[in-house]
Amino acid sequence: MLYDDQPIGGKAGLIGVGMLSTQQLAEMEYEKPEALSRYTGGLIVQDTSGDGVLDPNDDRIVGGVIGHAPAGAKGQELRSLVRDGVASLSRSTAAFERRPGTAMGGAIMLLEFVGGDTPGLYRPTLALLSNLDDPTSADGSTYTYAIVVK
């Protein structure tokens, strides 16, 4: 669930947001600025150009993932769900379920996780920037997932 940074009680969602994994960023030859170096698992990016493709050089970076994995684990990846070769970007909750979505507001971002090569507990933390227009700002809202890989 994603909500835009607005006064408490607002319902506007962050639309067109997706997750680029560290592997995807490396393929793009993107180098994270020092202010974003804490995001070891990837970046959360909003498609501001409207082309449906996430590009951290041109689109708005709104947060990132702080990865936690078993010692020595490699290959783990958290990214936007990909269907038919296209990343699924966040949509209004009402696009999924009209009545409850309209009441709750916000947007839903669909993600997929690929486990690493080491069994154990993976705990990626998704963090939105406290000021979505300032990539040097501290973390605001966060959520940590617990994923067990056997």
Side-chain angles (χ1 to χ4, degrees):
M1 293 289 302
L2 296 168
Y3 290 92
D4 204 346
D5 60 343
Q6 56 190 326
I8 294 175
K11 293 184 178 182
L14 280 171
I15 306 299
V17 175
M19 176 75 220
L20 290 171
S21 69
T22 53
Q23 292 89 332
Q24 290 171 309
L25 292 168
E27 289 171 10
M28 300 169 81
E29 299 181 358
Y30 178 77
E31 292 189 35
K32 281 186 282 186
E34 181 62 33
L36 302 174
S37 63
R38 66 188 179 278
Y39 298 135
T40 58
L43 294 176
I44 303 171
V45 180
Q46 184 174 30
D47 174 27
T48 54
S49 65
D51 63 1
V53 177
L54 299 177
D55 182 344
N57 291 306
D58 296 327
D59 295 323
R60 181 166 83 151
I61 296 170
V62 296
V65 175
I66 302 164
H68 296 281
K74 294 181 181 146
Q76 62 272 13
E77 181 177 20
L78 182 63
R79 63 181 179 207
S80 289
L81 178 66
V82 176
R83 291 185 178 159
D84 299 322
V86 178
S88 175
L89 303 181
S90 66
R91 295 183 292 153
S92 162
T93 55
F96 291 90
E97 289 290 336
R98 189 180 61 78
R99 275 193 179 166
T102 301
M104 290 180 2
I108 295 176
M109 178 172 63
L110 301 175
L111 301 174
E112 61 185 345
F113 180 78
V114 176
D117 63 355
T118 303
L121 182 62
Y122 292 76
R123 295 183 55 83
T125 297
L126 281 75
L128 292 178
L129 295 167
S130 58
N131 179 345
L132 300 180
D133 292 319
D134 180 4
T136 65
S137 66
D139 293 337
S141 299
T142 63
Y143 190 85
T144 301
Y145 289 92
I147 304 158
V148 177
V149 174
K150 293 184 178 188

